[in-house]
Amino acid sequence: MIQSRKGLLLALAFPVLVLSSLTLYRMVSLQTGREIVLPVSGYDPRDLLSGHYLTYRVDYGVEGICNSGEHSLNSVFVCLEPKGISTTPPENCTVYIQGSCRSGFFEAGIERFYVPEDQATHLEELIRSKAASIRASVGRDGRAQVKDLLIDGKSWKDQ
Amino acid sequence: MSKLEKQLSEWIRSGLIGKDQADRIRTHEATRPESSWVLSGLLLLGAVIVATGTVSLIAANWFTIPDAVKLVADLLLLLGLGYGAFRSQASNRPLHFEAFLLAFILMCLASIGLISQIFHTGGKLHQAILLWSLITFAAASSARTLLIPFLWTGAFLSGIATAAIESIALQPVFHRSFPAVFMAIPLLCAALTIISKNFGGESASTRAFRVWTILSGLTALSVAEVHALHRDITSAYFPAYALWAFALWGVWQASGYTRIQKGLVSGVLLVYFSSFHLPFLHTSLPVIYALHTIIELGLMAVFLASLKERALFQTFLTLLGLRFLILYFQAFGGLARTGFGLILSGMFVIGLGVLWNRYRKPIAEWAESWAQ
């Protein structure tokens, strides 16, 4: 379909530009967001593309987030200070997380933590037996990103 | 004896060519450069293995290496492969170009995996595949051979089918209905074939979309039969209806087909539509579904014969025979009957094979002439 050299150059440059921008966006969001710590509990599955990860339930300290009756909701906002739930960006809320309800569970894109293959089993045991939490960065739009996994308040790397 | 030697012997026996001509053909063929399909196959296989190895290496998660180093190394690798593809095309090395392009495209997927791993994004696999499809579409379209567009289309279709079922945003459209999604996928391929043919001519992408139209169409027919009793929400089929109408319009707009050929494809589309809507007519008889599939396969076989696509025509004829065989098992039951049925069916298949071997040319010619 693409015959010209210019066209090919654009076709090859486009994915590189998109992936670089995505990386940059993620880096900036991580650095500029507000840092929060949330307790979690979970287990260890595997992802073909990115390797081992721990997936967990995040305790937002807010009851009945996805109990509105609807099975799936595209936009749900959980306010952490003060505690509350809404389907539009909440006003008078210091920090809120944006997510969606899937099969009755709230998902904000912070339910995964990628771990090295050889440490996955050990970390899974730790996360089950000790107090685990995640350190996340939350942007002004409520989009959250995981920074670190904490076991008894310390980074998993220090265990 | 090689294929060429067999053909030469046959042509000499039939009096088509003399021994001198046969020798000249042998000399001509011997001096031609070796066919490059083995080399191209090995190069492309090598590119796939290297890229898969890179994905696996990234997935192992080397946490002792700083994230920035990993990201920069990934970017440099991407740029290197992209440059390799560009240079290969500029210096007119088609095989190298295809190998570099394939490695570049697969490396883009590995990069998405790496970004996902480093930033712990909670995205689903189908989201990663769809993002990859979007950013590599133009690069995949620049391929000259079928392999890259074929892989790209397969990944894109699996991503879009999974998204149609799993994505919260698409749930109000497809209502998590498998038959509705499976009905839409081959029609989406057909629509992509029409668009690709109109904009890029008979390119590798057009061929890949066409191959996937046939493959996904056959899968969809099986799904329609399996879900015979499943009555779905009608609105879930709306995207398939739109694509169906577009495909029908595209067939009648296409140049290069005779009116009868267009009629045959329209027939294929009509029967295909009907296959997914039998549950709404409260029909659950397996024979009715089987007949639909048999008519569909038969129409496709005649259409392919009219295009002189003999290999595909024979494939569809074989599928038709297999469907008849399965129909037998659906229609009858019991061990003794099944035993007799198997013996009879086996003899029927052998007989069909013998007859086909003897009369395949006249049958194909008859089908071609009938459709023209």
Side-chain angles (χ1 to χ4, degrees):
Chain A
M1 215 183 228
I2 291 171
Q3 301 288 338
S4 68
R5 289 176 72 176
K6 204 174 172 182
L8 179 65
L9 196 64
L10 283 172
L12 293 169
F14 181 64
V16 179
L17 278 173
V18 171
L19 292 170
S20 306
S21 310
L22 189 65
T23 307
L24 210 64
Y25 168 74
R26 288 282 177 185
M27 283 170 100
V28 171
S29 309
L30 208 62
Q31 297 304 318
T32 56
R34 183 175 169 159
E35 202 168 286
I36 55 164
V37 175
L38 297 163
V40 296
S41 55
Y43 56 94
D44 171 35
R46 188 192 160 105
D47 180 6
L48 284 173
L49 195 62
S50 308
H52 279 268
Y53 61 81
L54 295 167
T55 185
Y56 37 74
R57 297 268 154 75
V58 182
D59 182 6
Y60 295 95
V62 181
E63 289 295 316
I65 298 175
C66 292
N67 288 355
S68 64
E70 281 194 58
H71 197 63
S72 298
L73 268 176
N74 221 354
S75 251
V76 178
F77 297 84
V78 175
C79 182
L80 300 176
E81 287 173 22
K83 307 283 184 198
I85 313 158
S86 62
T87 50
T88 51
E91 290 170 15
N92 305 322
C93 179
T94 323
V95 57
Y96 64 88
I97 291 181
Q98 187 185 345
S100 57
C101 283
R102 182 184 285 269
S103 308
F105 291 103
F106 181 70
E107 289 185 4
I110 52 170
E111 295 78 17
R112 265 183 206 188
F113 191 85
Y114 287 89
V115 292
E117 191 180 12
D118 54 348
Q119 309 240 356
T121 317
H122 175 60
L123 278 169
E124 188 196 352
E125 282 166 15
L126 281 178
I127 207 172
R128 280 183 200 279
S129 58
K130 296 186 176 183
S133 51
I134 48 161
R135 182 180 288 136
S137 171
V138 188
R140 282 183 186 173
D141 58 354
R143 290 184 197 278
Q145 212 170 309
V146 185
K147 277 182 131 173
D148 202 358
L149 175 72
L150 309 174
I151 310 286
D152 281 343
K154 288 181 189 169
S155 173
W156 69 276
K157 288 176 187 168
D158 301 330
Q159 296 297 314
Chain B
M1 193 187 272
S2 72
K3 191 182 171 187
L4 178 70
E5 282 301 324
K6 275 183 192 170
Q7 282 179 326
L8 287 175
S9 304
E10 194 186 322
W11 292 338
I12 293 168
R13 243 194 337 271
S14 313
L16 293 171
I17 56 168
K19 282 191 174 176
D20 289 350
Q21 284 167 309
D23 286 338
R24 281 206 296 276
I25 292 170
R26 276 191 200 98
T27 315
H28 171 74
E29 288 297 315
T31 51
R32 276 177 61 184
E34 277 293 309
S35 167
S36 59
W37 66 269
V38 176
L39 181 64
S40 63
L42 287 175
L43 270 176
L44 294 173
L45 180 68
V48 170
I49 292 170
V50 168
T52 313
T54 313
V55 171
S56 183
L57 209 63
I58 288 170
N61 195 337
W62 303 80
F63 81 104
T64 45
I65 303 171
D67 292 343
V69 175
K70 284 193 267 187
L71 287 167
V72 169
D74 175 72
L75 182 68
L76 288 175
L77 195 57
L78 260 184
L79 286 170
L81 290 170
Y83 179 73
F86 185 72
R87 283 298 306 158
S88 305
Q89 203 222 24
S91 53
N92 200 21
R93 287 178 170 172
L95 280 179
H96 291 78
F97 171 68
E98 295 289 325
F100 270 117
L101 188 67
L102 182 60
F104 173 80
I105 284 172
L106 292 175
M107 193 59 211
C108 286
L109 188 63
S111 303
I112 294 171
L114 181 70
I115 294 167
S116 177
Q117 186 190 83
I118 287 177
F119 297 103
H120 307 284
T121 59
K124 305 278 182 287
L125 186 62
H126 70 265
Q127 290 172 323
I129 289 172
L130 285 178
L131 172 67
W132 172 81
S133 309
L134 191 75
I135 62 173
T136 57
F137 170 68
S141 301
S142 63
R144 303 284 179 270
T145 60
L146 187 67
L147 181 74
I148 294 173
F150 182 79
L151 289 176
W152 184 92
T153 312
F156 170 68
L157 293 178
S158 67
I160 210 133
T162 317
I165 298 291
E166 283 193 9
S167 159
I168 295 176
L170 289 174
Q171 273 175 21
V173 180
F174 287 101
H175 301 278
R176 297 176 75 97
S177 158
F178 276 92
V181 173
F182 273 92
M183 184 189 172
I185 292 296
L187 295 166
L188 175 67
C189 281
L192 289 171
T193 311
I194 293 163
I195 294 166
S196 179
K197 174 119 190 189
N198 281 329
F199 285 97
E202 196 58 41
S203 63
S205 297
T206 310
R207 280 183 285 141
F209 290 143
R210 192 178 292 124
V211 170
W212 275 108
T213 305
I214 294 172
L215 290 177
S216 56
L218 290 170
T219 313
L221 281 178
S222 314
V223 171
E225 289 204 33
V226 170
H227 283 260
L229 290 167
H230 191 88
R231 291 189 188 92
D232 271 311
I233 301 159
T234 319
S235 65
Y237 287 88
F238 285 169
Y241 295 161
L243 289 164
W244 185 86
F246 181 78
L248 195 65
W249 171 83
V251 166
W252 285 95
Q253 291 297 311
S255 55
Y257 287 158
T258 63
R259 282 182 73 83
I260 291 180
Q261 283 170 336
K262 288 176 182 176
L264 281 168
V265 183
S266 304
V268 168
L269 283 169
L270 277 169
V271 178
Y272 181 75
F273 184 94
S274 171
S275 295
F276 283 89
H277 290 75
L278 289 170
F280 296 108
L281 305 172
H282 301 273
T283 306
S284 57
L285 271 175
V287 177
I288 303 287
Y289 284 88
L291 284 176
H292 262 76
T293 306
I294 285 165
I295 293 168
E296 185 86 337
L297 293 173
L299 284 171
M300 270 302 286
V302 177
F303 171 68
L304 290 164
S306 76
L307 294 176
K308 299 194 191 322
E309 295 277 1
R310 288 198 173 177
L312 273 174
F313 167 69
Q314 286 175 17
T315 308
F316 269 82
L317 224 54
T318 309
L319 290 172
L320 204 58
L322 283 172
R323 191 63 195 87
F324 267 116
L325 199 65
I326 297 166
L327 178 65
Y328 176 84
F329 291 118
Q330 283 177 309
F332 301 101
L335 276 175
R337 280 181 176 181
T338 306
F340 277 118
L342 275 171
I343 293 164
L344 282 173
S345 301
M347 287 168 72
F348 176 71
V349 170
I350 292 166
L352 213 64
V354 170
L355 281 173
W356 172 246
N357 194 41
R358 183 172 289 180
Y359 298 110
R360 62 181 168 187
K361 277 187 184 171
I363 293 171
E365 278 162 11
W366 167 79
E368 284 163 16
S369 63
W370 187 84
Q372 278 166 358

